[in-house]
């Protein structure tokens, strides 16, 4: 009876001590929860995205799929024939391909002065003509070209002359070229390069079914190249 009374006297104290111990015991958070919470407070640092639309991506990717290969072509339309391409072998070489730019030299016989450059700009696709002298130096007319103005199609894109090209053509005494529109067509068996303006049409078709040996580097570019 004495023991029971003593227990009754100290029981409230034990309960109080237990409650205090629970209050003072730290709450252990799972390591994963702590890490996730910590990570959520770390700011994300990354470059601005390079945006593009589906038709431009499809066109770009179709050409990129040919990277490392070369193809023979022929003039199929030229309403103002020039001796520079008459009876000469024509070769396009999809030489270098990156996520946002393609380098495609266009060889005319022994003349390796021309490289087409297709670039994703975030506002569409740009086509530039990099023209070089045989020693690799820049031609006075280098980097003329155009930029897409609309979605085009997965197989066809048009590049009306850009502001730089119009100024260059005026300076060079050929203002009529300011209305140039370059077009490229990519189909399973044929790639086409075309130039049109009022009174002028030029077109070269390349046979994609028969790859040929790749040519040497175009003028102004290194011999060694990565295809990615």
């Amino acid at each position: 009876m004495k023991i029971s009374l003593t227990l009754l006297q100290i029981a409230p104290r034990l309960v109080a001590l237990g409650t205090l111990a629970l209050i003072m015991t730290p709450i252990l958070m799972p390591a994963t929860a702590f890490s996730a919470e910590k990570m959520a407070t770390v700011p994300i640092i990354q470059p601005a995205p390079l945006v593009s639309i589906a038709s431009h991506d499809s066109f770009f990717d179709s050409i990129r799929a040919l990277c490392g290969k070369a193809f023979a072509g022929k003039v199929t339309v030229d309403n103002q024939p020039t001796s520079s391409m008459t009876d000469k072998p024509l070769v396009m070489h999809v030489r270098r391909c990156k996520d946002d730019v393609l380098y495609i030299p266009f060889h005319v016989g022994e003349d390796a002065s021309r490289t087409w450059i297709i670039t994703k700009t975030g506002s569409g696709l740009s086509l530039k003509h990099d023209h070089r002298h045989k020693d690799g130096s820049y031609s006075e007319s280098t980097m003329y070209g155009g930029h897409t103005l609309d979605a085009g199609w997965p197989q066809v894109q048009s590049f009306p002359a850009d502001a730089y090209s119009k100024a260059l053509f005026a300076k060079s005494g050929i203002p009529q070229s300011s209305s140039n529109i370059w077009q490229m067509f990519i189909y399973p068996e044929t790639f086409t390069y075309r130039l049109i303006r009022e009174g002028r049409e030029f077109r070269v078709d390349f046979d994609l079914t028969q790859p040929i040996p790749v040519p040497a580097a175009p003028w102004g570019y290194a011999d060694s190249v990565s295809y990615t």
Side-chain angles (χ1 to χ4, degrees):
M1 184 68 179
K2 184 176 182 180
I3 295 175
S4 301
L5 182 60
T6 302
L7 288 174
L8 289 174
Q9 291 174 338
I10 66 173
R13 298 179 184 179
L14 291 175
V15 172
L17 288 173
T19 301
L20 181 61
L22 288 173
I23 292 174
M24 296 182 66
T25 300
I27 299 175
L28 299 178
M29 296 289 291
T32 54
F34 177 78
S35 300
E37 181 181 353
K38 183 178 180 181
M39 288 175 61
T41 63
V42 177
I44 298 174
I45 307 298
Q46 58 186 347
L50 179 62
V51 295
S52 185
I53 61 175
S55 57
H56 292 166
D57 288 338
S58 181
F59 175 84
F60 186 95
D61 291 343
S62 293
I63 299 176
R64 186 176 185 179
L66 304 174
C67 209
K69 297 179 181 179
F71 306 93
K74 63 179 180 180
V75 176
T76 54
V77 178
D78 189 355
N79 63 353
Q80 296 179 20
T82 59
S83 59
S84 63
M85 294 191 185
T86 302
D87 299 326
K88 294 180 180 178
L90 307 179
V91 177
M92 66 170 283
H93 177 200
V94 187
R95 186 169 187 265
R96 187 181 184 194
C97 307
K98 302 172 68 176
D99 289 342
D100 58 347
V101 61
L102 305 173
Y103 294 86
I104 309 172
F106 174 40
H107 297 258
V108 180
E110 299 298 318
D111 185 339
S113 64
R114 304 168 178 85
T115 297
W116 301 325
I117 304 175
I118 302 173
T119 306
K120 288 185 175 183
T121 66
S123 298
L125 297 174
S126 165
L127 169 64
K128 289 291 188 177
H129 300 73
D130 184 3
H131 281 214
R132 306 292 185 99
H133 297 297
K134 195 169 185 178
D135 64 359
S137 60
Y138 298 127
S139 166
E140 294 75 11
S141 63
T142 195
M143 298 308 284
Y144 65 86
H147 196 285
T148 56
L149 299 180
D150 53 30
W153 292 270
Q155 301 84 11
V156 185
Q157 292 296 331
S158 297
F159 306 88
D162 57 29
Y164 172 80
S165 302
K166 292 178 180 179
L168 177 65
F169 295 149
K171 180 181 178 181
S172 302
I174 49 173
Q176 67 273 19
S177 294
S178 295
S179 60
N180 280 3
I181 299 175
W182 295 272
Q183 295 179 321
M184 287 184 167
F185 303 70
I186 177 72
Y187 290 99
E189 297 185 354
T190 308
F191 176 87
T192 297
Y193 170 90
R194 185 185 187 214
L195 164 66
I196 55 173
R197 66 170 180 266
E198 186 176 357
R200 180 74 172 110
E201 181 177 5
F202 172 79
R203 174 173 177 153
V204 183
D205 292 331
F206 298 87
D207 182 3
L208 301 184
T209 68
Q210 298 290 332
I212 63 175
V214 299
W219 297 345
Y221 288 78
D223 287 331
S224 59
V225 64
S226 169
Y227 293 116
T228 58

